[in-house]
Amino acid sequence: MKAKKKSLPILYMLASKRDNLLKQYFSNHIDYSELYARKEKVIQQMEQEGAFYYAKVISQIYKEKAWQDIEKLDVGDKYKSALKTFICNVGGEMCDARNHSLFNRTSGSHRKTTKWYSELDRLK
């Protein structure tokens, strides 16, 4: 953070209409030591604004695209399964490689993710 690298959640916060500590830091209104001293507030702002959730949804979208591309490969099921397992293990809290299912369809996370898909489809 000291180097002001911009991850997806940080970019989300910088694009927010609300003022927040990350905007203040990236616009040089506060320094790193002040930002670090208020790190709990930064995390709270990111949670309230939805930055972490947004990053998870974007990650899931790209996992699903990779999942679909794996299905198109001209290789055996054994290799497809290995690739899908690899995809699941990259932050895969919403992935079930054994059942070849990207989302746990009964979880609240899936309902929220489905809502995001709807929103993203609407924006296309």
Side-chain angles (χ1 to χ4, degrees):
M1 179 70 79
K2 203 170 190 175
K4 294 190 177 182
K5 293 183 180 180
K6 296 176 183 170
S7 65
L8 193 55
I10 290 173
L11 288 170
Y12 185 89
M13 292 301 289
L14 295 176
S16 172
K17 292 179 181 174
R18 296 183 188 165
D19 188 37
N20 60 66
L21 291 168
L22 286 169
K23 276 186 176 182
Q24 292 174 22
Y25 173 65
F26 278 88
S27 62
N28 297 318
H29 289 94
I30 62 173
D31 64 10
Y32 178 76
S33 60
E34 186 175 347
L35 181 73
Y36 186 79
R38 299 179 68 191
K39 66 183 174 185
E40 295 300 322
K41 179 70 174 173
V42 171
I43 292 168
Q44 180 185 24
Q45 287 178 341
M46 293 178 82
E47 286 175 352
Q48 289 175 341
E49 195 70 26
F52 297 129
Y53 180 70
Y54 172 77
K56 276 179 114 174
V57 169
I58 295 299
S59 173
Q60 286 304 121
I61 288 170
Y62 281 96
K63 280 183 182 182
E64 186 166 298
K65 286 180 181 185
W67 198 273
Q68 291 168 356
D69 288 343
I70 290 169
E71 280 300 315
K72 296 175 188 174
L73 293 175
D74 187 23
V75 297
D77 288 342
K78 176 177 129 181
Y79 297 106
K80 288 180 184 181
S81 181
L83 288 169
K84 288 177 182 179
T85 299
F86 176 76
I87 296 294
C88 286
N89 290 330
V90 180
E93 62 279 342
M94 294 191 333
C95 191
D96 183 359
R98 292 169 306 201
N99 295 323
H100 300 289
S101 171
L102 192 55
F103 299 108
N104 177 349
R105 302 256 180 228
T106 60
S107 73
S109 296
H110 171 70
R111 284 190 296 277
K112 290 178 185 174
T113 304
T114 302
K115 180 180 175 187
W116 266 97
Y117 277 130
S118 299
E119 291 294 319
L120 290 173
D121 285 341
R122 191 173 55 78
L123 295 174
K124 288 181 182 178

